[in-house]
Amino acid sequence: MDPQILTHDCIIHIFSFLTEEDLIRASSVSKDWHDVAETQWLWRRMCLQRWGFCSQAVLGSPVVNHSWKTYFLRRSHLETKMKEGRTGDYTCRSLRGHTGKIVGLVYLQENSPLNPDLWNTPATVCSASTDGTVRAWNTQNGQLMWCSAKQSPLSSIISDEQRDFVITADSTGLIKVLQGQTGKEVASNSAASTHCTLLQYNKDNEWFLSVGKSQGSLCTLSGTALTERSSIMVCDSFKVNILLVSPDRKWIIAGSNENVDLSPKVIYTDSLTCPCEDEDPLCQFVPVAGCQAAVFVPTQSARLAMVHCKERSNNKALTVFDVIIKKSKYTSQIQVQQVESFSLPMGISSNILLEAKDSNSIVMAVDHHLWMYSMKGSLLASFTEHTMPITSMCVDSFRVVTASQDLSLHVLAWKHDSDRGLVLESRYYLLGGSHTMSRGFSIVACDFSSIVGSVQGKDGKDILKAYTFTS
């Protein structure tokens, strides 16, 4: 058919059925077809069909403009590289400088699939060590950006929700807030605890930090000035090492996995952030004991998945709860309602890593196994490809990355299957070096275009391995 016979709108309609490869080929037929193939609507439609949601940020800023076509092609190209993981698809840099064990690492500036302006901007990762320092790194070139003043051995590190600040705790319970861009100390507060579990969240436009202590209490601080708001007992004499906030910010789960007879507590967040002097905190025990791991489902307002000990046995079960509040004229009552529960394989250890992908996908790592379950207990996928225990796991909307003592990172990608729905596919491994010098990976974190893992050194000096994919 002569392309001149078709109207502009007709060609657009026909081109809407083409794949990106065919659309690019069609653009070379004639000048008119080229102009139609560059239509923003066609490429925006293709983006939404492939990824479901794309931000208007893809169009860039007044200074830098990206078309929907540029966004589609760059993101597709980058994801192909990340799925294949072939030599040349990424660069690997060793980030050295710590003289002790790395106890945690967090991303500050991240690369996001929703903002291609950031794809050429290196991500910033901060690591905390028992050498008493926090170090900020440029993942792309391996440059040390800043190092904090030395203090007592650090035990934990997190970033705030906006990734503007880094929050640390050391072995004496000293909590510090550091400015993410410079490392400058903003505030400090002494928790007087040998162990601190940190949780930062924003609620009603206010900044809060909840701190689980070794004595079993939970202290909540407000603002980056770390002003104390409340303190309650969660599990007397056992350290609080399970601490989560629900996606709707209404609930805190706090507990300990040190005693099989203990049950975690669900606490109404307002009781911590806006306590009333003449009222007890509004809280409720979860109706299971021996919690080993827990996670809130990110796509639900307050749905909790928990691995716990089965009654009067050493076997484990995974139970899913919904947390709601029932209010009457004079009282409010928390209800923790069981949604699903199923038994896990017998004999699994207590070292369990648990993450949720969506409303029907739970990912669990135990020893050298990686399992994917539905919320109803169906085993959707099973991987036993590490030769030594999995030590850390990172789950996002694109992939799952596991770190192991076998000195490898295993990368798996999410895929939508027409028959089975969402599935995981094993893709490749990233190696961390030689066991002659190292004991294996201990921590892993990732953003859209990079993966960073901590490698334990046999000399006591851990290093970071940064794998950066470029578009």
Side-chain angles (χ1 to χ4, degrees):
M1 179 182 291
D2 185 350
Q4 298 298 324
I5 298 175
L6 299 175
T7 66
H8 186 88
D9 289 343
C10 286
I11 301 174
I12 288 179
H13 178 72
I14 294 170
F15 281 10
S16 69
F17 296 96
L18 301 180
T19 64
E20 65 271 21
E21 292 90 352
D22 290 336
L23 190 57
I24 291 171
R25 292 191 191 99
S27 69
S28 63
V29 172
S30 68
K31 182 181 183 303
D32 288 341
W33 280 29
H34 173 80
D35 292 342
V36 173
E38 294 293 313
T39 302
Q40 288 272 55
W41 179 86
L42 286 172
W43 290 100
R44 178 179 181 274
R45 182 176 182 273
M46 205 170 291
C47 288
L48 294 175
Q49 284 181 330
R50 178 157 179 174
W51 294 298
F53 174 79
C54 297
S55 169
Q56 283 294 112
V58 301
L59 298 181
S61 65
V63 179
V64 180
N65 183 65
H66 293 287
S67 67
W68 286 101
K69 177 182 177 181
T70 301
Y71 175 81
F72 184 92
L73 295 178
R74 290 181 66 187
R75 184 170 176 181
S76 298
H77 182 61
L78 181 56
E79 288 188 357
T80 298
K81 282 188 170 185
M82 291 191 293
K83 282 184 178 180
E84 298 301 327
R86 298 170 299 191
T87 302
D89 287 344
Y90 62 88
T91 59
C92 176
R93 296 187 181 276
S94 297
L95 312 182
R96 304 176 187 273
H98 283 301
T99 58
K101 176 184 177 182
I102 294 175
V103 297
L105 62 95
V106 294
Y107 274 87
L108 286 180
Q109 180 170 292
E110 288 187 305
N111 288 334
S112 165
L114 302 181
N115 190 350
D117 282 351
L118 293 179
W119 291 359
N120 292 324
T121 303
T124 301
V125 169
C126 290
S127 53
S129 169
T130 57
D131 65 16
T133 66
V134 177
R135 293 172 182 262
W137 310 87
N138 177 316
T139 58
Q140 197 169 79
N141 61 24
Q143 179 182 356
L144 178 65
M145 300 173 64
W146 55 260
C147 178
S148 68
K150 190 170 183 179
Q151 61 184 95
S152 297
L154 295 173
S155 57
S156 57
I157 181 173
I158 62 171
S159 62
D160 73 328
E161 287 187 345
Q162 279 70 44
R163 302 189 185 273
D164 293 328
F165 300 99
V166 174
I167 305 110
T168 64
D170 68 17
S171 57
T172 69
L174 181 63
I175 298 168
K176 288 187 176 183
V177 178
L178 306 178
Q179 214 285 329
Q181 295 300 314
T182 64
K184 181 180 178 181
E185 182 178 326
V186 176
S188 65
N189 185 298
S190 178
S193 173
T194 57
H195 168 88
C196 290
T197 299
L198 305 176
L199 176 68
Q200 194 283 319
Y201 51 95
N202 294 342
K203 181 175 171 59
D204 300 327
N205 297 318
E206 286 194 78
W207 193 101
F208 296 100
L209 178 69
S210 287
V211 182
K213 300 184 182 182
S214 56
Q215 304 91 337
S217 63
L218 181 67
C219 175
T220 297
L221 311 172
S222 66
T224 52
L226 302 181
T227 304
E228 184 168 335
R229 282 286 182 95
S230 64
S231 182
I232 68 169
M233 183 56 65
V234 173
C235 43
D236 193 11
S237 303
F238 293 94
K239 67 182 178 183
V240 177
N241 55 13
I242 297 172
L243 191 57
L244 305 166
V245 64
S246 63
D248 63 7
R249 299 300 186 261
K250 287 185 178 180
W251 310 103
I252 294 284
I253 297 294
S256 176
N257 60 14
E258 292 189 326
N259 190 314
V260 295
D261 296 323
L262 292 176
S263 297
K265 272 186 178 179
V266 179
I267 309 167
Y268 192 46
T269 312
D270 284 354
S271 296
L272 304 176
T273 60
C274 303
C276 297
E277 293 184 5
D278 56 344
E279 293 181 11
D280 292 331
L282 187 59
C283 58
Q284 175 69 45
F285 284 107
V286 180
V288 293
C291 177
Q292 303 297 302
V295 66
F296 276 108
V297 178
T299 55
Q300 303 287 323
S301 58
R303 175 160 289 183
L304 176 71
M306 184 176 295
V307 175
H308 59 92
C309 298
K310 295 181 70 174
E311 189 174 358
R312 293 184 295 277
S313 77
N314 291 323
N315 295 326
K316 309 290 192 302
L318 191 150
T319 303
V320 181
F321 301 96
D322 278 340
V323 183
I324 62 174
I325 188 167
K326 291 289 187 181
K327 292 185 177 181
S328 64
K329 186 175 181 180
Y330 300 106
T331 62
S332 296
Q333 183 180 10
I334 298 174
Q335 294 186 354
V336 185
Q337 301 175 336
Q338 180 176 311
V339 178
E340 302 288 348
S341 187
F342 56 91
S343 297
L344 296 173
M346 297 180 63
I348 67 173
S349 72
S350 298
N351 298 317
I352 299 169
L353 303 175
L354 189 67
E355 296 288 347
K357 167 64 170 65
D358 57 20
S359 58
N360 194 49
S361 302
I362 289 285
V363 182
M364 184 187 313
V366 183
D367 295 327
H368 58 288
H369 304 281
L370 181 70
W371 295 318
M372 178 184 171
Y373 283 99
S374 73
M375 290 294 180
K376 292 185 177 295
S378 299
L379 182 61
L380 304 177
S382 177
F383 304 92
T384 312
E385 301 187 23
H386 282 299
T387 59
M388 297 179 71
I390 296 170
T391 54
S392 181
M393 176 169 61
C394 184
V395 177
D396 61 22
S397 60
F398 178 68
R399 62 193 165 186
V400 174
V401 183
T402 55
S404 171
Q405 291 177 353
D406 64 15
L407 205 49
S408 73
L409 302 176
H410 183 202
V411 180
L412 307 96
W414 295 107
K415 178 182 178 182
H416 284 278
D417 184 272
S418 57
D419 297 322
R420 296 180 294 164
L422 191 68
V423 295
L424 267 178
E425 285 188 332
S426 177
R427 303 303 303 191
Y428 57 90
Y429 294 89
L430 297 170
L431 303 181
S434 168
H435 274 291
T436 304
M437 303 294 292
S438 308
R439 300 182 186 275
F441 279 104
S442 58
I443 307 168
V444 67
C446 58
D447 73 347
F448 182 67
S449 61
S450 65
I451 301 172
V452 179
S454 173
V455 178
Q456 293 180 313
K458 287 188 175 181
D459 59 358
K461 299 178 182 179
D462 292 0
I463 66 170
L464 295 178
K465 291 284 186 177
Y467 306 85
T468 303
F469 298 81
T470 59
S471 61

